[in-house]
Amino acid sequence: MSGSAFPAGERDRMEALLPFYLNGTLSGEDLAEVEAWMESNPDAMSALAEIELEFSAIQSANESICPPADALGRFNRALDMEAGAERTGPSMLQRLWQRLTSVPPAVAWVTAAAALLIVVVQAGLENFGVGPAGTDYHVAGVAPEAANGPFALVSFKPDATLADVAALLEKEGASIEGGPQAKGFYRIAIPAGDDATYDSLTKALSASPLVAEVIPGRRPGNGS
Amino acid sequence: MPVNSGHATDRELVDRVARGDRAAVRLLFMRHHARVYRFAARQTGSESMADDIANEVFLELWRQAPKFEGRSEVGTWLLGIARFKALSHRRKRTEDVLDENYAETIADPSDTPEVVTLKEDKAAALRRMVDALPDEHRSVVDLAYYHGRSVTEIGEILDIPVATVKTRMFYARKKLGEALQKAGYERGWP
């Protein structure tokens, strides 16, 4: 039975409140009551030790449940079905990649060289401030405000879990801006204000056992 | 040049999702999916059902982001949606289906309680006893101990009054204490 009234006895109230004291969420009158009880009660440490054991058992019961590694990919597909294809469609590079992988190697090299020339010329024009007024470039899946920051393309190993990847990115202060793109690469925002920090962060990502490959993208010095 | 922040808050990301930013919903998925998935698995006893529920929770986030008023934390909101969806899935289920993987975490019922107890240490026994708690008690214990939620937040997630959260915690811990005692383990706090 679960009962409907909160127990009135001090001991019973402590049974109910101590877990919240230990998880750090108790406040107000409840917190004052527990703290007063702990100061005056010799059993307090035993009670907390018992709850720590419960914490440990419940943590382990929950963490033994492993989310599937492909969950994000399947969510992306579900999101596409829900919201329709990305407004911008495949990027120029994605279209180029698809084109290159479907033609004979010799033709592909010539096409790639021509495309590289176009990119170089375009970059030169942009650097000199030449371009259509009001152009609003938008990388697929990337927030417009994030599109000019430093980034790298990162692919993860198939056995890397979402929780591990999230923890790695949080540790390095990095975040996913977009993807997955061709070959499972994600565009990862690198929080670096200078090239040394950028190199250090991409090196740390490369060294992680979760990461399959890191391809450097825009460096801090390139976008200013 | 501006440095892209890797530390956008959940609330900021929900605001971006409300403006149709898919990268933001993916980031929230990365942050919260494991916990939502585990919560759903514990609620339903089925990992395949938890997989569907977790996906639906984040699609719901995509749909409902413009209406999110920020009265609770984003994590609390997501667990509340997961709870609602888990209840719906359980209602639809015609028979108890336990995934093989999940069932492995529960003791073999062919063993008597005494035999099971002899096989494990106190922590493992506690884990089995928590699994055996009634749903309404286990949910409160999971939310407080694993998800780190407050009394008020658990009330929001489970849609029950604060006093009921405390009462359920009291009875859950009382049952755990009795089960430990019955299994021959001393409780540190008699």
Side-chain angles (χ1 to χ4, degrees):
Chain A
M1 77 160 225
S2 63
S4 55
F6 182 49
E10 183 188 59
R11 158 70 189 244
D12 292 350
R13 291 178 63 79
M14 289 305 116
E15 288 272 16
L17 294 178
L18 283 175
F20 298 101
Y21 175 76
L22 212 61
N23 81 1
T25 61
L26 217 51
S27 61
E29 288 178 11
D30 287 341
L31 177 61
E33 184 181 353
V34 169
E35 285 181 337
W37 178 82
M38 289 187 64
E39 277 177 21
S40 60
N41 199 302
D43 286 338
M45 292 318 291
S46 317
L48 287 179
E50 197 64 34
I51 294 174
E52 277 176 355
L53 195 62
E54 290 170 12
F55 260 96
S56 160
I58 291 158
Q59 291 277 334
S60 122
N62 275 276
E63 281 168 9
S64 69
I65 301 169
C66 293
D70 62 344
L72 181 59
R74 285 185 291 111
F75 172 68
N76 277 331
R77 287 193 287 278
L79 184 62
D80 283 345
M81 285 181 71
E82 167 86 17
E86 298 270 17
R87 276 196 304 274
T88 49
S91 67
M92 186 179 78
L93 282 176
Q94 283 174 318
R95 289 197 301 273
L96 179 60
W97 173 257
Q98 287 161 1
R99 184 70 58 88
L100 288 177
T101 51
S102 64
V103 296
V107 179
W109 280 113
V110 172
T111 312
L116 183 62
L117 182 63
I118 292 168
V119 170
V120 168
V121 169
Q122 186 181 16
L125 291 176
E126 281 173 5
N127 282 341
F128 283 101
V130 180
T135 300
D136 183 16
Y137 294 106
H138 187 163
V139 179
V142 178
E145 66 270 26
N148 293 324
F151 72 90
L153 296 176
V154 178
S155 63
F156 298 95
K157 290 185 179 161
D159 58 347
T161 67
L162 282 176
D164 290 341
V165 169
L168 170 69
L169 295 181
E170 190 156 347
K171 180 174 153 241
E172 303 301 345
S175 60
I176 291 186
E177 286 184 341
Q181 301 172 358
K183 304 227 165 186
F185 279 97
Y186 288 86
R187 180 179 158 126
I188 305 292
I190 305 292
D194 55 63
D195 284 352
T197 310
Y198 180 91
D199 289 340
S200 159
L201 285 171
T202 50
K203 198 172 167 188
L205 287 174
S206 299
S208 165
L210 304 173
V211 169
E213 191 175 355
V214 175
I215 300 177
R218 181 185 293 108
R219 301 171 67 84
N222 296 349
S224 54
Chain B
M1 65 166 292
V3 174
N4 185 276
S5 168
H7 299 289
T9 65
D10 284 350
R11 182 60 212 263
E12 288 165 351
L13 289 173
V14 172
D15 288 343
R16 281 170 52 186
V17 175
R19 297 195 298 270
D21 181 344
R22 295 187 199 191
V25 77
R26 287 185 195 112
L27 190 51
L28 284 165
F29 186 96
M30 298 286 283
R31 281 186 189 173
H32 294 280
H33 177 263
R35 281 180 180 274
V36 168
Y37 176 88
R38 285 170 177 152
F39 180 68
R42 301 276 286 171
Q43 291 285 308
T44 60
S46 162
E47 294 201 19
S48 60
M49 208 179 279
D51 201 19
D52 291 341
I53 291 170
N55 239 14
E56 287 174 24
V57 166
F58 289 92
L59 286 175
E60 204 64 43
L61 161 65
W62 171 258
R63 294 179 199 125
Q64 301 296 329
K67 296 179 191 163
F68 180 65
E69 293 172 357
R71 280 183 292 196
S72 59
E73 276 185 27
V74 173
T76 303
W77 182 47
L78 294 176
L79 289 175
I81 298 173
R83 165 73 177 166
F84 176 77
K85 292 199 174 285
L87 285 174
S88 304
H89 275 71
R90 280 164 60 177
R91 277 192 214 107
K92 282 181 208 158
R93 185 167 55 175
T94 52
E95 57 182 359
D96 280 345
V97 180
L98 284 177
D99 280 2
E100 214 168 294
N101 289 344
Y102 188 77
E104 279 171 8
T105 67
I106 297 173
D108 179 356
S110 64
D111 283 343
T112 65
E114 288 77 11
V115 173
V116 170
T117 302
L118 284 172
K119 288 180 181 172
E120 52 194 10
D121 60 16
K122 188 175 176 183
L126 251 178
R127 185 175 147 178
R128 179 175 56 79
M129 289 161 188
V130 170
D131 285 341
L133 285 174
D135 288 349
E136 60 182 17
H137 293 158
R138 200 185 57 244
S139 299
V140 170
V141 165
D142 273 343
L143 286 166
Y145 285 54
Y146 177 67
H147 296 275
R149 298 290 150 185
S150 68
V151 174
T152 309
E153 287 171 331
I154 294 174
E156 285 171 21
I157 292 166
L158 301 180
D159 198 21
I160 54 177
V162 161
T164 308
V165 175
K166 292 175 181 173
T167 306
R168 287 188 185 177
M169 177 61 87
F170 165 73
Y171 281 106
R173 298 201 61 234
K174 190 177 175 203
K175 280 183 180 167
L176 289 177
E178 287 168 356
L180 277 175
Q181 207 169 14
K182 205 171 170 183
Y185 290 105
E186 279 188 21
R187 199 168 184 234
W189 187 32

